[in-house]
Amino acid sequence: MSTSSTQSRRVHSRLNSLQLDGQLSRDGSRARKRQVSHAEAYSYALRVALLAHLLQPRSRRIQHVPAPQTRMHRSSTSINDLMRDFSIVRDSRSTRFPHGFVGELKRRLEGILLGRERRQEYQDALVKRTFATFFNDLADPGFKKRMEKDRRVEDLVLIFFSRATSELQKGKDPTDDSWKLMVDRHVALFVRIVILVLKAHDWSRDRPELTNRLATLESKLLKHDQDLTDAAKLGNASSSTTIEVVAPVSYDVEDMPLAQAVGRIFGLTNTQVQSDIDKNKTTWTEKAALQDLKAYQMYLNLNTKKTLRSEDFDLEDAYEVWRKAEGPDLSQMMLAIVQANPELAKATSPGALPQFQPSSSSPQSPSSDMTRTPLDAFENASSYVIDQPVDLSNLSLTDGTSEPQDDGKHPFTYIPPEPRTFYRFILAQVLSYDLKELPQSPEPSSANSTQGLLSKQSTELLNEICLRWRIPRFSRVVLFLDVVREKFVDGEIGLEMLEKAFNFVKEPFSDNKRSSVILTSVLLDRDKWTVADLALIQHILRALHDALLRELYEVMRHCYEPKPPSPGPILFLLDTHIYSDSSFPKSEEDLDAFGEQLSQGLREHAKEVYGTLLDKEVPKDQSSWEFYHVIQLGKAVMKLADRVQKRYRNSPEIMGVNPLSIFVETVLPLYAEDARDLTTRVIQVAQERGEEVAIEDGFDLYKELVGVRRIHTDALPGVPFAFHIEDLLANFVWRWINMTDEKLLGWIEEAVKQDSFQVRTDSPNQIPNEEQRHSVSVIDIFRSFNQTVNEVAQLEWDDDVQYAKFMTALAKSIGVGLSKYCDLLEDKFNREMDRLTPEQEAAANQTRQEKWMQMAKDAWNNKEKIEPFQFFPESFVKLNNVEFALQQLDKLEHEMNVDACAEVIQRHTPPAAMKRQRINNFVFSIKIVEGEDLKACDINGLSDPYVVLGDEFQKRLAKTRVIYQTLNPRWDETVDVTTQGPLNIIATIWDWDTLGKHDYVGRTSLKLDPSHFRDFLPKEFWLDLDTQGRLLLRVSMEGERDDIQFYFGKSFRTLKRTEGDMTRRITDKLSAYIHHCLSRRALRSLLSRGINMSAVSNYFSRIRPASSMMQAPTAADVTNALKPLFTYFDDNFAIMNETLTRPAMIMVMTRLWKEVLVTIESLLVPPLSDKPSQQHPLTQQELDIVYKWLELLFDFFNAADEETGEANGVPTDMLKSPKYHDIQSLNFFYFETTENLVRESERMANATLQRQQQAQRSRASAPALLASPAFGGPTGLMGVTSTRRSKSIMLSRNLGTMRKAKEEKRREAQAEPNDDMILRILRMRPEAERYLKDRSRQKERLAAAAAAQLIVQQSLLSGGGRMIGSLPRR
């Protein structure tokens, strides 16, 4: 047999089930076999208390006696007699002083010599002198080493005796032997200091025999001592003196603290206790105690039922260990009784006790302050200590007594019939009393008490009882825990006291480390326990486990309350003291059952708590329900969940149960259902009343519900939320978007109205930086846009399709707002740019005759100077605003994640629905390109034309800028027209006059039919005017789509067109002077400077060659011819640079450069047409001058740094545009013969045709998504379809796509040279008229064939069905 676990299985039967409804058994198996009466327990406890009093050291008292009349001559006690007790046990370890003792003794003696010792007897100078003599010897290293080697205390005493004798007899009369008494006194003081050193370092507990013998030696040395100090003070022989005598034994209860404690514990007065003591003091004696020990020893040897037997232990070895430990303890107890009452030694037969000479009192004892008894070493413990062994090999307790006869009488006086049962009863009484009295007691509990459970006196009493009744240590622990278990189950103590009890039995407080180790070993080594204790400890652990689980269940039932009790102490007790105990039969089935019951209880409690929250937050009257109530209920639930999470964050699971998970699993579905019903009812009631719930309330409710759903999803991943929040509350977002649409235009109008369009500098003279060059209106507008978008984004809408639709609607609103803003800006900008100059205002007041006279005078004086236009800073700020709006719109496009929104909508739209999707609105982009051979309306043979575009309902759609003094104007302005079906547009050209009405030039019309543009490719139309000339329009169509990319593209295109129109208006103010400086008249003027009088006189003579008549202008002349233009540019650029931002400045300069290129191009060749031109080609000299001007202008606009070469103006890549390369290419063909030009044109046309055919074959073999209409190809001449489309809305949806499309256009233009420039040169060759017409018809046929083939391909790619106007997805 064997281990404690085996014993546990043999004794313990496991609980079948765990009940938490109060039906668990609270009655443990009792340790007693009989009922213990109150009186019996009191009687035996009182006996032990009296015996403890009888065994206490006798007190001493001071007695006055008459002084001797004659001089005393008495020798001291022989030192050999005094040291005889030490020689008896000379080789015993217990009589040797411990290691390190000599050093501590030396420090203590040093304190005496330095006056640090507080005891009065060591303050005498003579004592210090004697101790100093011995201290000198002790300071010798050799002496100290020898003492530490032998460690015999008698050597120290003898040496001190020798030094004291030598020191005290100095100067004494040889006949005077009184000094010998002083030697005894000084040696006694030395022995006393030795005892104090042993006690101070707790060495007295390990060496009780040494301490006892030193105390006996001290008493003998003080036997004949007198108060020499007082005698010296009195100074005469007739004076009285005092002696210290041993007081007789007192039977007064007032002198018995333990007896008083017994009375208090059992509810008796001191009088009653005194009466019981007086009645039984003759029976309850030391002799009876000694007899009990002898009888117990005999019963132990005979293995009778009066003591523990081998049958009481599971292992025979355990019994033998216990039995062997009892012998030394009994011997030491007997010795203590004999020491306390030496008379008992006389009654003991020789050999029964060791050789021991008891001390007796003498009427001539010294004073009390120098007295000590052998038991003083145990003043902090009970009357007897069993922790230390004793060397009593000569002690025999059998005394030849034979085996007693069992006559039915109880053989013991102090030991009750069933010590274990009686001890448990008394322990319960003591614990009940102390638990009641300790809180009122101001005296703190002793270190030897059970850490607040028992008082000091109670602890001493229990120790005495266990000692006298021979209760084993493990039985004390088990019985103590059993009583604590009973008190805890009955509710008399709480968790704190229970933990203290466990800590006490596991980590007992003791000054004696060896004792603590022994006790801990006994507790852990349960193989040495009795069977009854093993069974009882199992029952205790089971009962406490059940009680703690009940307590835990009740505590966890309150876990959802605001301030619930913590389960930590209970769990700590279970883990530390129950589950970790090897004697506890842990059952996983029982724990699982408890976890299930706890989970069910928590679910019920969670429902109750939610019901309370529902009643608190939601009123009973349904008509008064609001979203606020749903929000508050959700916040209350979330707050409680958060509190539960924080409360159990360190230990999420309690006994396998997660309170937070149970709360979420139980409450959140309930809240979700209630929130759905409450929300639906609130909306229904509002509709019945004809009201609307506030949008802010809907947003707040959504945020709260989403938070709840997020936790619901995390906690219950497989359980869907009770309803789709977004479907229920999406209407609030749409209402908010519609409300924003209604207010948006008003916001924009108010922002423009309040804006002064000034740079935002701190002082008027401050130069603004780049961030200060736009005004506040554009900032306010985009702040409104961002707030609008953020309001929806901050909702964190959890339905991607709905969110994408919200963003699409907002993109449409933003587009409408930006369009309005652009219209307002352009209106203000145009009014500022169309204002009259001072000269024009003066001319307005002239009569018609005065006007003719002024014109004739200007012509005669050749007045050519043109003053710079006085631009307003406000105009440039408006252009800056547009440029800033483009940047902000691009940021907003990225923040809204436009591409992702479009992709989400496309992904969730079924393909069948996309095919059936019809386009109801169509956006026609009409570009008014140029006019040709217009009617002259001014007296100079030219006109100042502009175009007004209207519809068939006489609604004005657009108006172009005025192009001054030309019959072949080029406007390049675009307007968008939205229609749901065919629409006739009418283009009317007017001649602008400063004064009076504008003159009519001509009119034409065009029908915009969506069915004619089903290929969604741009088409060009040459429209003949009803008077003279024709107008070129380039028309493209796009289906208006409810698509976020489309709306952003439209907004970007609106801003870019506004920016382009403003830039064009600015450059138009400068273009007149550009045309003046870069004209054929300027060329003729430059060349006429080389004509002299000789050349004029011989003008008609054909003799001299032409070279002698003309002198070519120098390079300086060519450069100086442009100086007025450069000065004009510098003046205007200086004005612009003060206000325009760097990008806007580059944009204006780039536009001016384009105007320069167009002007130079018009000098070289006429516009592209199929008709011959009246324009004559330039001479070689004129051509060289023009290209020199182009070079000078390039350097001026590039403004490269001479040192670094870095461009400070327009970048080189922007200056070298396709038109610049076309002009450069003219130099190669300009003077070629007509035949060569026609041949080169045909070659280029064939090469272009082959590239187009190859591209068409590539598109035909490409996948469907890649075979959409291509953007690119040459532009037709008359009403033909172009295969190029570079400015669609979808390609303008952000700045990135716009830059990409522009760069692609540039690369394609450079990679695909065409014969347009050659055809323009051929217009100046009359012999090429027929080729021009043939070439025009060829282009028309090729373009028509390409368009027809593209339509067929689109039809095939769409499934071969009929085209219904659906847009291809890009």
Side-chain angles (χ1 to χ4, degrees), residues 742-759:
E742 296 173 358
K743 298 180 179 180
L744 187 61
L745 297 181
W747 293 343
I748 293 175
E749 291 177 356
E750 188 64 24
V752 174
K753 182 178 179 181
Q754 298 295 329
D755 194 1
S756 59
F757 295 100
Q758 300 291 332
V759 292

PDB file of all heavy atoms in Angstrom, residues 742-759:
ATOM      1  N   GLU A 742     -30.229  70.621 -52.717  1.00  0.00           N
ATOM      2  CA  GLU A 742     -31.076  71.807 -52.708  1.00  0.00           C
ATOM      3  C   GLU A 742     -30.337  73.037 -52.206  1.00  0.00           C
ATOM      4  O   GLU A 742     -30.588  74.153 -52.663  1.00  0.00           O
ATOM      5  CB  GLU A 742     -32.302  71.548 -51.832  1.00  0.00           C
ATOM      6  CG  GLU A 742     -33.217  70.443 -52.365  1.00  0.00           C
ATOM      7  CD  GLU A 742     -34.332  70.111 -51.388  1.00  0.00           C
ATOM      8  OE1 GLU A 742     -34.357  70.729 -50.297  1.00  0.00           O
ATOM      9  OE2 GLU A 742     -35.162  69.232 -51.703  1.00  0.00           O
ATOM     10  N   LYS A 743     -29.413  72.837 -51.298  1.00  0.00           N
ATOM     11  CA  LYS A 743     -28.720  73.985 -50.708  1.00  0.00           C
ATOM     12  C   LYS A 743     -27.409  74.309 -51.406  1.00  0.00           C
ATOM     13  O   LYS A 743     -26.844  75.380 -51.184  1.00  0.00           O
ATOM     14  CB  LYS A 743     -28.433  73.710 -49.227  1.00  0.00           C
ATOM     15  CG  LYS A 743     -29.679  73.522 -48.378  1.00  0.00           C
ATOM     16  CD  LYS A 743     -29.306  73.252 -46.928  1.00  0.00           C
ATOM     17  CE  LYS A 743     -30.534  73.088 -46.053  1.00  0.00           C
ATOM     18  NZ  LYS A 743     -30.177  72.813 -44.633  1.00  0.00           N
ATOM     19  N   LEU A 744     -26.929  73.373 -52.237  1.00  0.00           N
ATOM     20  CA  LEU A 744     -25.588  73.516 -52.774  1.00  0.00           C
ATOM     21  C   LEU A 744     -25.446  74.756 -53.647  1.00  0.00           C
ATOM     22  O   LEU A 744     -24.501  75.539 -53.493  1.00  0.00           O
ATOM     23  CB  LEU A 744     -25.229  72.260 -53.583  1.00  0.00           C
ATOM     24  CG  LEU A 744     -23.782  72.187 -54.079  1.00  0.00           C
ATOM     25  CD1 LEU A 744     -22.824  72.199 -52.913  1.00  0.00           C
ATOM     26  CD2 LEU A 744     -23.583  70.939 -54.929  1.00  0.00           C
ATOM     27  N   LEU A 745     -26.374  74.953 -54.564  1.00  0.00           N
ATOM     28  CA  LEU A 745     -26.272  76.108 -55.459  1.00  0.00           C
ATOM     29  C   LEU A 745     -26.341  77.413 -54.677  1.00  0.00           C
ATOM     30  O   LEU A 745     -25.649  78.386 -54.998  1.00  0.00           O
ATOM     31  CB  LEU A 745     -27.374  76.041 -56.515  1.00  0.00           C
ATOM     32  CG  LEU A 745     -27.312  74.828 -57.465  1.00  0.00           C
ATOM     33  CD1 LEU A 745     -28.448  74.896 -58.476  1.00  0.00           C
ATOM     34  CD2 LEU A 745     -25.972  74.780 -58.177  1.00  0.00           C
ATOM     35  N   GLY A 746     -27.181  77.436 -53.647  1.00  0.00           N
ATOM     36  CA  GLY A 746     -27.249  78.640 -52.815  1.00  0.00           C
ATOM     37  C   GLY A 746     -25.940  78.902 -52.099  1.00  0.00           C
ATOM     38  O   GLY A 746     -25.503  80.064 -51.986  1.00  0.00           O
ATOM     39  N   TRP A 747     -25.304  77.827 -51.625  1.00  0.00           N
ATOM     40  CA  TRP A 747     -23.996  77.996 -50.967  1.00  0.00           C
ATOM     41  C   TRP A 747     -22.980  78.592 -51.937  1.00  0.00           C
ATOM     42  O   TRP A 747     -22.218  79.495 -51.584  1.00  0.00           O
ATOM     43  CB  TRP A 747     -23.469  76.650 -50.463  1.00  0.00           C
ATOM     44  CG  TRP A 747     -24.280  76.051 -49.355  1.00  0.00           C
ATOM     45  CD1 TRP A 747     -25.183  76.676 -48.571  1.00  0.00           C
ATOM     46  CD2 TRP A 747     -24.258  74.683 -48.941  1.00  0.00           C
ATOM     47  NE1 TRP A 747     -25.737  75.795 -47.675  1.00  0.00           N
ATOM     48  CE2 TRP A 747     -25.184  74.564 -47.866  1.00  0.00           C
ATOM     49  CE3 TRP A 747     -23.550  73.556 -49.347  1.00  0.00           C
ATOM     50  CZ2 TRP A 747     -25.413  73.354 -47.215  1.00  0.00           C
ATOM     51  CZ3 TRP A 747     -23.770  72.367 -48.698  1.00  0.00           C
ATOM     52  CH2 TRP A 747     -24.696  72.265 -47.635  1.00  0.00           C
ATOM     53  N   ILE A 748     -22.982  78.081 -53.171  1.00  0.00           N
ATOM     54  CA  ILE A 748     -21.998  78.538 -54.151  1.00  0.00           C
ATOM     55  C   ILE A 748     -22.264  79.988 -54.536  1.00  0.00           C
ATOM     56  O   ILE A 748     -21.338  80.813 -54.625  1.00  0.00           O
ATOM     57  CB  ILE A 748     -22.023  77.612 -55.375  1.00  0.00           C
ATOM     58  CG1 ILE A 748     -21.510  76.226 -54.978  1.00  0.00           C
ATOM     59  CG2 ILE A 748     -21.198  78.187 -56.513  1.00  0.00           C
ATOM     60  CD1 ILE A 748     -21.601  75.188 -56.059  1.00  0.00           C
ATOM     61  N   GLU A 749     -23.503  80.314 -54.751  1.00  0.00           N
ATOM     62  CA  GLU A 749     -23.825  81.701 -55.103  1.00  0.00           C
ATOM     63  C   GLU A 749     -23.433  82.653 -53.977  1.00  0.00           C
ATOM     64  O   GLU A 749     -22.891  83.743 -54.226  1.00  0.00           O
ATOM     65  CB  GLU A 749     -25.315  81.820 -55.408  1.00  0.00           C
ATOM     66  CG  GLU A 749     -25.736  81.126 -56.699  1.00  0.00           C
ATOM     67  CD  GLU A 749     -27.236  81.197 -56.919  1.00  0.00           C
ATOM     68  OE1 GLU A 749     -27.936  81.719 -56.019  1.00  0.00           O
ATOM     69  OE2 GLU A 749     -27.709  80.730 -57.971  1.00  0.00           O
ATOM     70  N   GLU A 750     -23.691  82.241 -52.752  1.00  0.00           N
ATOM     71  CA  GLU A 750     -23.346  83.102 -51.618  1.00  0.00           C
ATOM     72  C   GLU A 750     -21.835  83.218 -51.473  1.00  0.00           C
ATOM     73  O   GLU A 750     -21.312  84.297 -51.148  1.00  0.00           O
ATOM     74  CB  GLU A 750     -23.954  82.523 -50.336  1.00  0.00           C
ATOM     75  CG  GLU A 750     -23.821  83.419 -49.125  1.00  0.00           C
ATOM     76  CD  GLU A 750     -24.578  84.729 -49.267  1.00  0.00           C
ATOM     77  OE1 GLU A 750     -25.549  84.778 -50.066  1.00  0.00           O
ATOM     78  OE2 GLU A 750     -24.211  85.704 -48.575  1.00  0.00           O
ATOM     79  N   ALA A 751     -21.112  82.106 -51.714  1.00  0.00           N
ATOM     80  CA  ALA A 751     -19.652  82.159 -51.626  1.00  0.00           C
ATOM     81  C   ALA A 751     -19.070  83.101 -52.667  1.00  0.00           C
ATOM     82  O   ALA A 751     -18.159  83.891 -52.370  1.00  0.00           O
ATOM     83  CB  ALA A 751     -19.065  80.756 -51.790  1.00  0.00           C
ATOM     84  N   VAL A 752     -19.584  83.048 -53.902  1.00  0.00           N
ATOM     85  CA  VAL A 752     -19.097  83.949 -54.957  1.00  0.00           C
ATOM     86  C   VAL A 752     -19.489  85.390 -54.644  1.00  0.00           C
ATOM     87  O   VAL A 752     -18.717  86.335 -54.866  1.00  0.00           O
ATOM     88  CB  VAL A 752     -19.643  83.500 -56.318  1.00  0.00           C
ATOM     89  CG1 VAL A 752     -19.278  84.516 -57.401  1.00  0.00           C
ATOM     90  CG2 VAL A 752     -19.111  82.124 -56.681  1.00  0.00           C
ATOM     91  N   LYS A 753     -20.675  85.562 -54.101  1.00  0.00           N
ATOM     92  CA  LYS A 753     -21.150  86.910 -53.784  1.00  0.00           C
ATOM     93  C   LYS A 753     -20.286  87.563 -52.710  1.00  0.00           C
ATOM     94  O   LYS A 753     -20.015  88.782 -52.767  1.00  0.00           O
ATOM     95  CB  LYS A 753     -22.603  86.832 -53.333  1.00  0.00           C
ATOM     96  CG  LYS A 753     -23.230  88.171 -53.030  1.00  0.00           C
ATOM     97  CD  LYS A 753     -24.697  88.002 -52.628  1.00  0.00           C
ATOM     98  CE  LYS A 753     -25.325  89.356 -52.309  1.00  0.00           C
ATOM     99  NZ  LYS A 753     -26.739  89.195 -51.892  1.00  0.00           N
ATOM    100  N   GLN A 754     -19.860  86.773 -51.729  1.00  0.00           N
ATOM    101  CA  GLN A 754     -19.074  87.321 -50.630  1.00  0.00           C
ATOM    102  C   GLN A 754     -17.587  87.432 -50.958  1.00  0.00           C
ATOM    103  O   GLN A 754     -16.829  88.013 -50.166  1.00  0.00           O
ATOM    104  CB  GLN A 754     -19.229  86.421 -49.389  1.00  0.00           C
ATOM    105  CG  GLN A 754     -20.644  86.317 -48.858  1.00  0.00           C
ATOM    106  CD  GLN A 754     -21.159  87.651 -48.336  1.00  0.00           C
ATOM    107  OE1 GLN A 754     -20.393  88.482 -47.847  1.00  0.00           O
ATOM    108  NE2 GLN A 754     -22.464  87.875 -48.463  1.00  0.00           N
ATOM    109  N   ASP A 755     -17.173  86.914 -52.096  1.00  0.00           N
ATOM    110  CA  ASP A 755     -15.750  86.893 -52.432  1.00  0.00           C
ATOM    111  C   ASP A 755     -15.371  88.152 -53.191  1.00  0.00           C
ATOM    112  O   ASP A 755     -16.043  88.541 -54.166  1.00  0.00           O
ATOM    113  CB  ASP A 755     -15.431  85.645 -53.271  1.00  0.00           C
ATOM    114  CG  ASP A 755     -13.948  85.384 -53.364  1.00  0.00           C
ATOM    115  OD1 ASP A 755     -13.172  86.155 -52.763  1.00  0.00           O
ATOM    116  OD2 ASP A 755     -13.558  84.390 -54.023  1.00  0.00           O
ATOM    117  N   SER A 756     -14.289  88.792 -52.744  1.00  0.00           N
ATOM    118  CA  SER A 756     -13.772  89.974 -53.454  1.00  0.00           C
ATOM    119  C   SER A 756     -12.702  89.588 -54.469  1.00  0.00           C
ATOM    120  O   SER A 756     -12.197  90.467 -55.174  1.00  0.00           O
ATOM    121  CB  SER A 756     -13.187  90.971 -52.455  1.00  0.00           C
ATOM    122  OG  SER A 756     -12.132  90.382 -51.716  1.00  0.00           O
ATOM    123  N   PHE A 757     -12.323  88.331 -54.516  1.00  0.00           N
ATOM    124  CA  PHE A 757     -11.342  87.798 -55.463  1.00  0.00           C
ATOM    125  C   PHE A 757     -10.021  88.572 -55.393  1.00  0.00           C
ATOM    126  O   PHE A 757      -9.494  89.038 -56.394  1.00  0.00           O
ATOM    127  CB  PHE A 757     -11.897  87.812 -56.891  1.00  0.00           C
ATOM    128  CG  PHE A 757     -13.067  86.895 -57.072  1.00  0.00           C
ATOM    129  CD1 PHE A 757     -14.364  87.396 -57.060  1.00  0.00           C
ATOM    130  CD2 PHE A 757     -12.890  85.537 -57.229  1.00  0.00           C
ATOM    131  CE1 PHE A 757     -15.462  86.567 -57.211  1.00  0.00           C
ATOM    132  CE2 PHE A 757     -13.979  84.690 -57.386  1.00  0.00           C
ATOM    133  CZ  PHE A 757     -15.267  85.207 -57.377  1.00  0.00           C
ATOM    134  N   GLN A 758      -9.524  88.665 -54.181  1.00  0.00           N
ATOM    135  CA  GLN A 758      -8.222  89.272 -53.932  1.00  0.00           C
ATOM    136  C   GLN A 758      -7.292  88.207 -53.374  1.00  0.00           C
ATOM    137  O   GLN A 758      -7.722  87.227 -52.770  1.00  0.00           O
ATOM    138  CB  GLN A 758      -8.346  90.430 -52.916  1.00  0.00           C
ATOM    139  CG  GLN A 758      -9.263  91.559 -53.362  1.00  0.00           C
ATOM    140  CD  GLN A 758      -8.685  92.352 -54.520  1.00  0.00           C
ATOM    141  OE1 GLN A 758      -7.463  92.435 -54.685  1.00  0.00           O
ATOM    142  NE2 GLN A 758      -9.560  92.929 -55.346  1.00  0.00           N
ATOM    143  N   VAL A 759      -5.996  88.424 -53.626  1.00  0.00           N
ATOM    144  CA  VAL A 759      -5.026  87.504 -53.030  1.00  0.00           C
ATOM    145  C   VAL A 759      -5.075  87.654 -51.515  1.00  0.00           C
ATOM    146  O   VAL A 759      -5.369  88.731 -50.987  1.00  0.00           O
ATOM    147  CB  VAL A 759      -3.611  87.785 -53.565  1.00  0.00           C
ATOM    148  CG1 VAL A 759      -3.512  87.431 -55.030  1.00  0.00           C
ATOM    149  CG2 VAL A 759      -3.213  89.237 -53.328  1.00  0.00           C
TER     150      VAL A 759
END
